[in-house]
Each structure stands twice: as structure tokens, then as C-alpha cells.
Amino acid sequence: MTNPVYARQDVEAKQVVEDWGSLRWLANGSVGNVQGLTLGRVVIKKGKSNPRHAHPGAEEVLYLLSGQLRHTIGDQSVMLNPGDTVAIPDGVFHNAYSIGDEDADMIVAYSTGRRSFVLEDKASAVHESGGGFTIHDLTISPCCNQNMELEPVLAEYAKIGFKNFEVFTTWAKSAVDINRDPAEYLQLAAKYGMRFTSFHLPAIADDFDASLERAISAMKFAKALGCEVAIYKGNSRDLMIRGAKPFLDATESLGVTPVLQNHVGTPITTLDDYAAVIKGINDSRMKSLLEVGMFHAVGTSWKQGYDLLGDSIALVHIKDMVGAQPVPFGTGEVDLPGLLKHLRAVHYGGRIVIEMDKRPDPENTLRYLTDSINYFRDTCGVSIP
């Protein structure tokens, strides 16, 4: 061993800087202090992602020091919080999105002193360097088929090609019961190759203490299902604001991101409503959901919504609309290709939830959703096999 101590100034002098962050190699064959492994420190800037890549001949272990990551591994996606560790098998394509309030700082190690990497094939490489989304970034909402039970709707959505599912606790017939064993639902999702990624919480209501406890219990249930984001609700602005701090304090350690949602007929219908609730809560732990269709229904563009919410957006819901009426994708007034282009440009790292509810011909919704796959691939640039 020629260099038993590798000084900090030497590490900093050889730092590799990318537009998405930086890499500092602490130990490897090139440094000369070890031959059988590679150890490094990586920072991914807030809101950025590194290119999707693989390491032939080497396993990787990542330990997250600070920040928050959504990490893709093959066709899986996992959430990482400080103190979490993830292992990536030899040759599996992967990358990480920094989705927290700060840069993501991590330690990485490889089972070789001569780490190499290859980018994924051309179509995927465009996505992972910021050029597009894949089917794994899309989540399907059961609001599209609100009268279907959970197992049939999972089966149909999986048949269409969707991989991720948004969970309801009320309203839809596919709603889950938070008093049941979450393992039952996980087994059902696994049966159809689906995973749960976002979750509708029960609202904070006039029975304040009891409803707050229900929302907290539901958040824990969302965590048990593996959800990344949960939608925080209240029956009035005042209730939402009053409940936010105790809710956030009780659930912060779970690692599930809470978001506010705009929706016609709720306390957050307009931009002014959204701004008032954000101001009233005044807590950066509460993030936001950009509900594109519901903004369009009240005459607000997705761009206006994005300008208000900006970096706080942790989830996006999309539907195509004519006025206030949902229509099949590609037949309405919403500039969805422009939205996805913008989200790519700002390195948005969250999910995009597909919705198509309240159609006058619900018997055709599954066919419309099947057709939407071609629309998202051919018109919106989503990478779909």
C-alpha cells in the first residue's frame, strides 16, 4: 500500500463535478490505497438525478448520509432516507433522484478496485440523463375505475402495462382498510407485479383529535405498504392548518412524504386557496401535489400551478380535459407534452399519476387507458416497451 493516508486536500483536488452533483473517490486502485474495493462520496443536488447506468463485474452498496433519494434498481424503485442502505447487484441498471429539501450526500462502495460503468441503452439513457420518463415513473389511479374492486382493478391495470398504483382509503371500491394486515394488500399487489406508491389519507375533520389520529394511523399504514407519498386532507382550511403540525411531528420519522392537493370542491380549489394553506401551515415538511386536471377545471394552467408550487412538488396528477370534463388522453385542451417536457427540464424526480374519472362512458375507460400507453410513448416521450 503506497498511500496509507489519503489527505482531504488530495480528495478535494480530484473531485469530479457533474451538472447533477459531484463524486469524490476515497479509495480504489487508481488512488493506490486499495486494490480490492472502491469507496467514494457522492452528492446529488436537490432536484437532480444522475444518469441511469450499471457497473459490470461489481456490486454496489450506497449508504445515505443526508437528504432523500428515490432510487431505481432495474424495474424497481425504492425510497431512501438518512441512515438507509441499498445494495445494487452486479450489472443492474440504476440511478438516484434527489427529492428532499437538501442535496443528497452518500457513501458508495464497490466490490472492485477498478470500478467501471456503462449507460443504459439509448432510449433509457435519454430518460436517465434528464431527457424523459419511463413506465416506472407513471402511477395509475383507481379513480379511473372507481366501481371496481381492488383485485380486478390491479389485474386490469397490470394487463395494460402499469406498474404502480395509487391507494384510496375511501370513495373508490378498491379502497383499502387500514385496520387490516398490510401484508394482505402487498401480496395481492405482488400477484400482479404492481406496487403501491402514493396514498390518500382520511381527512382532518370536525372530530379533530379522532380524525388526526386516523390520519396518523393511515400514514403508518401507507409506510407499511411501501408508499412514497401520502396526500394530506382536511374538511376546511382551518382544520388542515390546525392539524398539520401535530400530524407532521407524529409522522416525520416514517419517511413518507406528505403533500397538499388542489381539487375542485375542496378547501384547496384555486391558486389563492393553495397559497393560503401553504402560508398557514408554514412548514417545509409539507410538500405539494400539482393536480393538473383540477387546476384546468377552474381555468388555471399547469404552468401557473407550477410557478406557485415549484420545488415543493413531490407528486403530479394528470388528466386531459375539455373545460371541467375529463376526456381520453390526447383529445383535450391540456398541454401534457409541454408539462412532461418542463418536468424533465427541471429534473422532477417524483411520480406522475394517471387519472381519467367521471367519464360519461365509464365502460370504455379501460380501453382509453390502453390507448393512453401509445399517447404517452409516442406524443409525450415516455419510454415504454
Side-chain angles (χ1 to χ4, degrees):
M1 182 181 294
T2 58
N3 292 317
V5 175
Y6 191 36
R8 178 176 179 175
Q9 60 266 30
D10 295 325
V11 174
E12 299 294 339
K14 294 185 179 181
Q15 178 177 227
V16 179
V17 177
E18 304 283 357
D19 62 352
W20 50 263
S22 62
L23 307 93
R24 287 171 287 173
W25 300 116
L26 310 176
N28 60 27
S30 297
V31 172
N33 48 4
V34 294
Q35 296 301 319
L37 65 84
T38 294
L39 183 69
R41 189 158 184 176
V42 176
V43 173
I44 300 180
K45 297 176 184 176
K46 172 185 172 183
K48 299 283 188 176
S49 64
N50 61 349
R52 190 164 163 94
H53 61 284
H55 305 288
E59 296 174 299
E60 177 183 354
V61 174
L62 182 157
Y63 176 79
L64 186 60
L65 298 169
S66 61
Q68 189 177 38
L69 290 177
R70 180 162 74 83
H71 204 293
T72 71
I73 307 169
D75 61 0
Q76 292 182 292
S77 179
V78 297
M79 291 289 292
L80 298 178
N81 294 293
D84 289 344
T85 301
V86 65
I88 298 100
D90 175 354
V92 174
F93 286 99
H94 60 281
N95 80 326
Y97 298 84
S98 178
I99 60 173
D101 292 328
E102 58 183 330
D103 295 349
D105 189 0
M106 65 211 78
I107 298 292
V108 292
Y110 305 84
S111 59
T112 176
R114 300 289 177 181
R115 167 191 175 274
S116 63
F117 75 95
V118 293
L119 295 177
E120 201 170 27
D121 60 46
K122 184 177 180 181
S124 293
V126 169
H127 157 70
E128 304 302 347
S129 62
F133 297 101
T134 76
I135 188 65
H136 301 288
D137 296 306
L138 304 183
T139 292
I140 183 68
S141 170
C143 76
C144 302
N145 301 90
Q146 67 186 72
N147 292 317
M148 292 183 70
E149 302 285 347
L150 182 59
E151 182 163 11
V153 81
L154 285 171
E156 290 294 340
Y157 290 168
K159 193 183 303 181
I160 291 171
F162 292 108
K163 309 294 184 183
N164 304 313
F165 187 85
E166 184 164 271
V167 178
F168 278 77
T169 52
T170 59
W171 183 68
K173 284 190 176 180
S174 60
V176 302
D177 180 352
I178 65 171
N179 296 309
R180 290 180 59 178
D181 183 352
E184 298 176 25
Y185 294 115
L186 290 170
Q187 291 169 4
L188 189 59
K191 178 179 178 181
Y192 297 102
M194 299 283 282
R195 65 187 299 264
F196 303 121
T197 56
S198 47
F199 191 98
H200 287 258
L201 298 169
I204 308 297
D206 290 334
D207 58 338
F208 181 80
D209 291 337
S211 62
L212 176 62
E213 189 56 43
R214 285 195 297 272
I216 292 170
S217 296
M219 190 71 153
K220 294 175 181 176
F221 197 84
K223 170 68 172 179
L225 291 183
C227 293
E228 304 157 351
V229 175
I231 301 166
Y232 173 81
K233 303 179 181 183
N235 288 344
S236 72
R237 278 196 211 170
D238 289 343
L239 286 168
M240 294 180 80
I241 293 167
R242 179 183 169 196
K245 187 179 188 307
F247 173 82
L248 293 167
D249 289 345
T251 61
E252 182 176 11
S253 64
L254 296 176
V256 180
T257 301
V259 296
L260 300 170
Q261 178 190 27
N262 61 292
H263 201 286
V264 173
T266 73
I268 304 179
T269 295
T270 67
L271 282 176
D272 288 342
D273 293 334
Y274 223 141
V277 174
I278 291 171
K279 182 178 179 180
I281 292 175
N282 191 30
D283 193 319
S284 64
R285 293 176 295 176
M286 183 68 77
K287 304 303 180 184
S288 62
L289 187 166
L290 176 62
E291 180 78 59
V292 172
M294 290 293 98
F295 268 143
H296 185 86
V298 296
T300 299
S301 70
W302 63 258
K303 182 65 166 61
Q304 291 171 304
Y306 186 90
D307 287 346
L308 172 68
L309 304 175
D311 290 343
S312 74
I313 297 172
L315 193 64
V316 175
H317 280 187
I318 63 171
K319 63 177 77 170
D320 210 347
M321 307 280 287
V322 172
Q325 175 61 56
V327 296
F329 285 101
T331 67
E333 301 165 340
V334 182
D335 179 18
L336 294 173
L339 169 65
L340 268 63
K341 181 179 180 180
H342 179 77
L343 293 176
R344 290 193 295 268
V346 298
H347 298 279
Y348 169 71
R351 305 281 181 180
I352 299 169
V353 181
I354 308 302
E355 298 182 318
M356 192 188 298
D357 58 346
K358 299 180 180 177
R359 290 280 310 141
D361 55 343
E363 69 278 6
N364 293 320
T365 300
L366 289 174
R367 177 169 62 83
Y368 294 145
L369 290 174
T370 301
D371 293 342
S372 77
I373 292 293
N374 292 331
Y375 171 75
F376 289 118
R377 179 180 55 229
D378 299 338
T379 304
C380 298
V382 178
S383 179
I384 301 176

